[in-house]
Amino acid sequence: MLDVKTLRDNFGAVKTALAKRGKDFGLEQFTALDSRRRELLQKTEQMQARQNAVSKQIPALKKDGVDTTALMAEMKELANELKSLEPLVKAADEELDSFLAALPNMPHESVPEGLTEAENVEIRRWGTPTEFDFEPRSHWDLGEALGIFDPATAVKITGSRFIMLRDLGARLQRALINFMLDRHTRHGYEEIMPPCIANRQSMLGTGQLPDKEGMLFALSDTDYFLIPTAETPLTNIHRDEILDGESLPINYCAYTPSFRKEAGAAGRDTRGLIRSHQFDKVELFKLARPEDSYAELEKLTADAEEILQRLGLPYRVSALCAGDMGFSAAKTYDLEVWLPSYGRYVEISSCSNFEAFQSRRAKIRYRDSAGKTAFAHTINGSGLAVNRTTAAILENYQLADGRIKVPEVLVPYMGWLPTI
């Protein structure tokens, strides 16, 4: 959530920053909503001050024999007026809060200008696209031929855009999860196993609500949602807390299944493991002081990249332009892995600094050495999206006979099997 004081004092700068996202957010409404709320609060405070002052006078006046009938009548009328103002103040608060909750974060000054992914800026590449001396196959064709993908049974059990892994496919997925968690915990991340269901307040805190409500799986007759990412529970661990500034940065990692109503027409992305309603992900999360948060974003991005490097998967890193960034992000790097069947790089991780946007919504603060409190900055990213990593391994490590070579770092996790 954006800072109200910043909106009041630097309205023009905020409007200019949000315009870089390429949408009209009706920012002019803020002035009217904020003025209405402040007028009601000022009127309430003035009436309460009058009420308090007169209430203190009345006992002394009575003691001196002064008739207080008129004052008592005034106080009764004032009390009724204050009571009638309560729903108006509440409505003004809710209207302003609802408006602010729908505003995205402001892009950081270093974010490239642009509106679509075509205007994202490539930062670096690692490795070279895999070449074969035979016609490479897609990961879904490889998986089905090996008997490790079973999409038909997944459709029978649930429906379209779900996948079931069997035997060595399931083992490979588990191996990747364990490998990723082992690497990240060695880098100082505390492993968390959070709930996979979150309440509405948690979704609001991370910005999934109201922005992404149409993509979320809501549980009927409750105010709960299946999490779209472990970012949601990890961010809310410290909701409504004031942390010791000396404890920052805090680093968490977690494996969870994730659930999203992925939109789009049927096609290549809906086959196999690239875009499904349920997928596995290892998430990285940091809480940092504002002055350290961009350095921590670089560290987190490097930790996600290390997984790809150790797996020997070619990838590139791009800085997203303002119009292509997520709702809550101030700056985002996308890691894209090479998929031979696509003939291009495909997103496998987004690493973002949200600055104080999420912590202001979730009320996550820290106290510095001088005793002053401030909102912490939140940083997170996939380290990595496991399903897409499995797809990338199948495609980049495929052999001419249809088998899959197991990446060297995963061989111990696969019971020393050299191939699938």
Side-chain angles (χ1 to χ4, degrees), residues 1-2 4 7 11 14 18 24-34 92-104 210 327 357 361:
M1 187 174 290
L2 297 181
V4 172
L7 273 164
F11 183 85
V14 174
L18 290 183
D24 181 6
F25 298 100
L27 204 59
E28 290 74 12
Q29 296 178 55
F30 169 75
T31 303
L33 292 172
D34 187 45
D93 281 338
E94 290 176 349
E95 195 171 4
L96 181 60
D97 286 345
S98 178
F99 176 78
L100 292 172
L103 290 179
F327 177 83
F357 188 83
R361 297 167 78 103

Side-chain angles (χ1 to χ4, degrees), residues 75-348:
M75 289 302 97
K76 184 176 181 180
E77 185 177 343
L78 202 57
N80 289 333
E81 285 186 52
L82 280 169
K83 190 172 182 180
S84 67
L85 280 176
E86 286 178 7
L88 298 179
V89 172
K90 183 180 179 182
D93 281 338
E94 290 176 349
E95 195 171 4
L96 181 60
D97 286 345
S98 178
F99 176 78
L100 292 172
L103 290 179
N105 203 355
M106 292 188 295
H108 186 261
E109 59 185 11
S110 65
V111 170
E113 292 196 19
L115 301 179
T116 69
E117 63 178 290
E119 295 163 285
N120 296 339
V121 177
E122 184 176 313
I123 303 298
R124 57 184 171 271
R125 292 189 182 197
W126 186 92
T128 56
T130 310
E131 295 183 358
F132 301 92
D133 57 8
F134 59 90
E135 185 66 30
R137 302 166 69 184
S138 66
H139 68 276
W140 56 85
D141 284 339
L142 289 162
E144 290 187 45
L146 289 167
I148 61 175
F149 284 12
D150 189 350
T153 301
V155 169
K156 179 176 71 173
I157 293 170
T158 310
S160 62
R161 296 202 186 182
F162 287 88
I163 187 75
M164 189 169 83
L165 302 178
R166 286 181 176 273
D167 194 23
L168 294 180
R171 191 168 184 176
L172 176 61
Q173 191 95 336
R174 177 162 54 91
L176 279 168
I177 293 165
N178 289 336
F179 168 68
M180 292 177 190
L181 290 173
D182 284 350
R183 292 308 308 169
H184 295 317
T185 53
R186 287 173 191 170
H187 285 307
Y189 292 86
E190 178 186 347
E191 184 177 346
I192 303 292
M193 188 172 283
C196 292
I197 294 173
N199 58 32
R200 180 171 292 274
Q201 189 58 43
S202 294
M203 292 293 185
L204 285 166
T206 46
Q208 273 102 23
L209 290 178
D211 182 58
K212 295 289 190 296
E213 185 150 13
M215 291 178 61
L216 301 174
F217 284 99
L219 303 185
S220 61
D221 301 322
T222 74
D223 212 19
Y224 296 162
F225 300 82
L226 297 178
I227 61 169
T229 165
E231 168 195 342
T232 306
L234 293 181
T235 303
N236 283 278
I237 289 174
H238 295 290
R239 191 177 77 216
D240 298 320
E241 292 183 16
I242 299 177
L243 304 167
D244 180 358
E246 295 300 313
S247 70
L248 302 179
I250 292 173
N251 304 309
Y252 293 137
C253 67
Y255 155 69
T256 63
S258 302
F259 306 87
R260 295 180 193 173
K261 295 178 182 177
E262 294 285 5
R268 179 180 291 270
D269 277 0
T270 62
R271 299 187 66 184
L273 298 170
I274 299 303
R275 193 173 296 278
S276 55
H277 293 317
Q278 177 182 331
F279 53 96
D280 290 327
K281 193 149 69 76
V282 171
E283 191 77 0
L284 303 177
F285 173 82
K286 290 175 178 277
L287 277 171
R289 291 181 288 267
E291 62 269 25
D292 300 329
S293 67
Y294 278 94
E296 293 299 330
L297 172 62
E298 298 298 328
K299 290 179 183 178
L300 182 144
T301 304
D303 291 335
E305 287 184 66
E306 188 208 17
I307 300 297
L308 289 167
Q309 292 172 9
R310 287 182 173 272
L311 291 170
L313 294 172
Y315 69 92
R316 70 177 183 179
V317 180
S318 297
L320 298 195
C321 67
D324 197 35
M325 284 200 310
F327 177 83
S328 301
K331 183 172 184 175
T332 298
Y333 293 122
D334 262 10
L335 277 58
E336 299 171 311
V337 68
W338 178 257
L339 283 185
S341 72
Y342 283 63
R344 62 178 172 85
Y345 293 94
V346 175
E347 180 198 335
I348 198 166

Side-chain angles (χ1 to χ4, degrees), residues 52-66 68 72:
N52 291 337
V54 173
S55 296
K56 290 177 182 178
Q57 292 174 1
I58 287 176
L61 292 172
K62 283 184 175 180
K63 189 176 181 180
D64 293 339
V66 178
T68 60
M72 296 287 285

